[in-house]
Amino acid sequence: MQETTPHSVGCEKSVLSTMLQEPHRADDVAQLTEDHFYLLGHKTIFRYIMREIQGPNPVNPDGVDITLLCQQLNEDGELHRVGGPSTLADLFTYSPSPFHFPKHVEELTRFLAYRKAIQAADQIRGLAYQTEDVSEILSATSEPITEIQDLLTGASGRSMSK
């Protein structure tokens, strides 16, 4: 059985699409970070969207200016890495409605928790072979487990916009 890393390309695209169209929705999902996105291009686009939202100039409530975003990505040498202008255009039109936005953010959070659980399990497994110090194993397990629990229960929260 081949295992795939837990993620959802559709949910990632939907969340980015909504954030491009309605940047004020970022306030509804203060817990969202780059790590919620599995695909590297989506992580990069999220980072640039957040830079626009949190920047010194107010973002147009009608959406992020795709042309300026494309220009900024190009100037920084990132445009080809995210898939080019066509990927940005596709993302902008991907979600015709923000209706599913909260549910898709929940899905991204769930998949992030699963990826963190896999990573923590791998680290703990390695420690179990390398050390006999019980306190080191306990120390290595407590932080990731708390973080995973916070993700799955929604205990973490912060403000995203200015």
Side-chain angles (χ1 to χ4, degrees):
M1 174 175 111
Q2 182 180 5
E3 296 178 2
T4 60
T5 303
H7 70 284
S8 170
V9 174
C11 286
E12 288 186 17
K13 289 173 75 171
S14 175
V15 167
L16 291 172
S17 180
T18 299
M19 292 182 75
L20 286 167
Q21 294 173 38
E22 299 184 16
H24 66 276
R25 297 297 299 260
D27 288 334
D28 300 339
V29 289
Q31 76 279 10
L32 202 61
T33 67
E34 273 184 59
D35 289 339
H36 282 77
F37 298 90
Y38 177 71
L39 297 179
L40 183 58
H42 289 171
K43 287 177 182 276
T44 302
I45 293 168
F46 174 78
R47 185 172 58 249
Y48 276 79
I49 292 171
M50 291 312 300
R51 189 181 299 166
E52 284 292 313
I53 291 171
Q54 296 172 336
N57 301 322
V59 177
N60 184 339
D62 294 330
V64 173
D65 187 327
I66 294 296
T67 303
L68 293 177
L69 180 63
C70 197
Q71 179 182 347
Q72 186 62 54
L73 284 161
N74 190 46
E75 288 172 4
D76 294 346
E78 298 282 354
L79 185 59
H80 69 284
R81 292 186 189 132
V82 302
S86 62
T87 295
L88 291 176
D90 177 53
L91 280 175
F92 191 82
T93 59
Y94 185 80
S95 183
S97 164
F99 178 75
H100 297 288
F101 182 68
K103 182 66 176 160
H104 290 167
V105 170
E106 284 179 23
E107 286 295 292
L108 294 185
T109 301
R110 185 171 60 88
F111 287 129
L112 173 60
Y114 292 168
R115 291 192 304 269
K116 285 188 175 288
I118 292 166
Q119 182 181 22
D122 289 344
Q123 180 184 8
I124 293 164
R125 183 178 185 271
L127 273 174
Y129 282 111
Q130 295 170 4
T131 186
E132 292 188 26
D133 183 0
V134 175
S135 64
E136 189 177 349
I137 293 172
L138 290 174
S139 175
T141 56
S142 64
E143 185 180 331
I145 290 173
T146 301
E147 184 180 8
I148 293 162
Q149 182 178 1
D150 287 349
L151 282 168
L152 293 174
T153 62
S156 172
R158 58 185 169 74
S159 179
M160 236 188 196
S161 67
K162 300 182 270 186

